[in-house]
Amino acid sequence: MTVKVDHDESMRELATSGGVLRYHDIGDGPPLLLLHGSGPGVSGWQNYRGVVGELAEHFRCLILEFPGYGISDTGEGHPMQMAVESVGRFLDGMGLGAVDVIGNSMGGIVGATVAVDEPQRIRRLVTIGGVGKPLTSHSPSEGIKLLMQFTADPTRERLIAWLHSMVYDPATVTEALIEERWKLAVEPETLEAARRMYTPEAFAAAAAAAKAAGIVPLWARFGDIQAPTLITWGRDDRVSPVDMALLPMRDIPNAELHVLPNCGHWTMIEARDQWLSAVLAFLTRAR
């Protein structure tokens, strides 16, 4: 029986040294941490509200809202770095050891980064697009270019164009979704945080800083991920083209890849039932 899902009843907050982290707590069982993606007006609740009821039949689902996206405290750092740091703060604050993790796009990158740097925190990892390196496709992708255009000059038309790049079926982009995303995306603090990450200048500055610091890119460290990993991908993804999946599939020692047809970047939304079947089979399998 699907667990009841209610936004307000499930919302919690946790005070940490990096500010207040807000999260949803749904279900009982082993802890499952759900990490959301990036983009205008995103939230963890939006990413996972359609599947968390089924997941919560088996797990205590903890949907973390990253700093800088309008739900948890904003913070002043780079959104990606704040997201990575928030995972450790959250798990320590909740008194949790190793957890299973599902990460959508940026959330998958965050989960993979934690799996490399702090392997004791990640039991099993599920990623949704995003985690990889383009081998045959152009970079930046169509979706990332549209995201950068919106961030530099946010208009409703640019938001709609970006949302359509996220999906295979245009009908997925409803008026309700547009309004929900628009409201949060243009909130001043949220937009300011997005500009630290998704403008051409921010991309260039981050690349230069990583080079100067001698930081090894995540894609070159996939071999260090010891957690069993399920990589899920939409075959028709125009934000993170599917060729990006080849490197993590090959280099993560215990990885398997599930590609979903007629599906864009949001596999848990556009291919909901197929995605849930694959993910639950993976997470409930005897280790």
Side-chain angles (χ1 to χ4, degrees), residues 254-278:
N254 297 301
E256 49 195 273
L257 172 63
H258 196 106
V259 178
L260 296 149
N262 305 318
C263 180
H265 195 60
W266 292 331
T267 61
M268 71 291 190
I269 294 173
E270 283 201 283
R272 176 188 181 278
D273 292 345
Q274 301 96 311
W275 182 85
L276 274 171
S277 176

Side-chain angles (χ1 to χ4, degrees), residues 7 48 52 56 59 89 122 164 199 220 246-247 256 259 267 282:
H7 177 278
Y48 296 113
V52 69
F59 300 96
R89 290 194 183 109
I122 309 295
H164 277 283
T199 63
L246 295 175
L247 193 63
E256 49 195 273
V259 178
T267 61
F282 173 76

Side-chain angles (χ1 to χ4, degrees), residues 10 18 67 80 91 108 153 161 165 167 177 185 205 210:
S10 62
M80 179 70 78
L91 294 178
D153 182 17
S165 77
V167 299
L177 176 62

Side-chain angles (χ1 to χ4, degrees), residues 11-265:
M11 177 67 85
R12 308 283 187 272
E13 60 180 45
L14 175 71
T16 76
S17 59
V20 173
L21 293 172
R22 293 182 175 84
Y23 64 99
H24 294 272
D25 192 339
I26 303 168
D28 295 300
L32 173 62
L33 179 63
L34 295 100
L35 306 177
H36 67 78
S38 63
V42 72
S43 72
W45 180 256
Q46 289 174 0
N47 273 185
Y48 296 113
R49 62 189 170 195
V51 294
V52 69
E54 281 80 4
L55 294 171
E57 294 178 39
H58 307 272
F59 300 96
R60 179 190 181 189
C61 295
L62 301 166
I63 305 175
L64 177 61
E65 301 289 355
F66 287 139
Y69 290 89
I71 310 295
S72 290
D73 285 357
T74 299
E76 298 180 354
H78 189 282
M80 179 70 78
Q81 187 59 39
M82 290 193 298
V84 171
E85 293 169 353
S86 73
V87 170
R89 290 194 183 109
F90 180 74
L91 294 178
D92 288 345
M94 296 290 289
L96 295 172
V99 296
D100 293 330
V101 171
I102 298 176
N104 172 43
S105 193
M106 185 190 82
I109 296 171
V110 170
T113 301
V114 175
V116 168
D117 292 338
E118 301 178 275
Q120 75 281 4
R121 295 195 185 276
I122 309 295
R123 186 164 167 259
R124 289 172 296 195
L125 175 64
V126 177
T127 65
I128 305 168
V131 178
K133 178 179 174 58
L135 299 178
T136 61
S137 59
H138 185 269
S139 181
S141 67
E142 174 192 357
I144 296 298
K145 287 179 180 177
L146 290 169
L147 174 54
M148 294 166 71
Q149 290 170 11
F150 174 86
T151 305
D153 182 17
T155 67
R156 184 182 173 88
E157 292 70 26
R158 286 182 170 176
L159 175 65
I160 294 170
W162 173 74
L163 285 170
H164 277 283
S165 77
M166 300 287 284
V167 299
Y168 174 81
D169 182 2
T172 308
V173 181
T174 63
E175 283 299 318
L177 176 62
I178 294 167
E179 288 301 321
E180 185 179 37
R181 288 284 188 137
W182 174 255
K183 182 178 179 180
L184 195 57
V186 295
E187 193 277 328
E189 287 189 354
T190 305
L191 185 58
E192 191 277 329
R195 286 174 171 158
R196 298 178 216 154
M197 182 172 178
Y198 280 123
T199 63
E201 295 79 13
F203 265 87
K211 182 177 181 180
I215 296 175
V216 179
L218 177 62
W219 61 262
R221 305 177 69 197
F222 286 148
D224 295 333
I225 296 177
Q226 296 305 308
T229 301
L230 173 64
I231 303 163
T232 67
W233 221 288
R235 187 186 64 191
D236 308 286
D237 193 332
R238 292 147 59 197
V239 178
S240 301
V242 71
D243 66 281
M244 291 179 62
L246 295 175
L247 193 63
M249 179 271 294
R250 181 63 184 86
D251 283 2
I252 297 175
N254 297 301
E256 49 195 273
L257 172 63
H258 196 106
V259 178
L260 296 149
N262 305 318
C263 180
H265 195 60

